[in-house]
Amino acid sequence: MAIGPVPEETREAPLVDLGNAQARARISAGAFRAFRDTADYLGLSISNRCRLLGDLPQSTFHRWVEKGAPTLPRDTLERISLVLGIVKALRLLFASDEAGKRWLFAPNTDAPFAGASPAEHMLRGSIAHLYGVRRYLDSWRGVWP
């Protein structure tokens, strides 16, 4: 039996080529607004927001809030994507937003966290730490190899 094309409505959105400056320019402002809203939702301080964005200077963060984000570098957009994916996973895994936030900020003895909270793990600064939390949650959901 032949399998036909995937119906239009079930296709995933195409991946954005973050190596392409024009593609990054198209998504940068919206991505930064989504990050800012997510950081508000999590109650993150400005210094923690800057840390998640790769040790962005606070003056730059404030300028982006006031004037809008410029075309963001690939690393910054990847970091934003990871944070948004982490919050999405929390919302899918937990019955309430408060339960998901509690898990994120509570000490955790599981392997990647070693007694730190997942949020503390994320704030260690490396993009690898963000990937670690994202992979942990996605594997819990059964969607990451």
Side-chain angles (χ1 to χ4, degrees):
M1 178 169 123
I3 298 176
V6 176
E8 186 78 28
E9 64 277 2
T10 61
R11 291 185 193 153
E12 289 187 25
L15 295 176
V16 174
D17 177 7
L18 295 180
N20 180 307
Q22 290 177 328
R24 289 194 322 272
R26 278 195 310 275
I27 66 169
S28 288
F32 181 71
R33 280 192 308 272
F35 173 79
R36 198 178 65 216
D37 292 345
T38 300
D40 288 346
Y41 162 79
L42 294 174
L44 298 177
S45 68
I46 298 299
S47 63
N48 283 344
R49 294 169 194 223
C50 291
R51 183 83 169 157
L52 289 176
L53 292 173
D55 291 323
L56 185 74
Q58 288 189 24
S59 59
T60 302
F61 182 86
H62 289 297
R63 186 172 61 251
W64 291 0
V65 169
E66 291 174 17
K67 298 182 180 181
T71 299
L72 298 174
R74 178 185 195 128
D75 178 77
T76 304
L77 287 168
E78 285 182 11
R79 288 169 174 276
I80 289 171
S81 176
L82 289 165
V83 170
L84 298 178
I86 288 165
V87 170
K88 176 184 175 182
L90 291 174
R91 287 185 154 175
L92 291 170
L93 286 167
F94 291 92
S96 71
D97 287 350
E98 289 310 310
K101 286 186 214 179
R102 258 192 319 276
W103 179 86
L104 186 65
F105 292 101
N108 190 317
T109 58
D110 288 350
F113 311 120
S117 73
E120 289 170 323
H121 188 76
M122 292 166 55
L123 290 166
R124 290 185 174 138
S126 167
I127 198 166
H129 293 105
L130 291 170
Y131 271 111
V133 175
R134 174 71 190 267
R135 276 194 305 268
Y136 180 90
L137 289 169
D138 284 348
S139 67
W140 200 3
R141 291 178 47 227
V143 295
W144 198 288

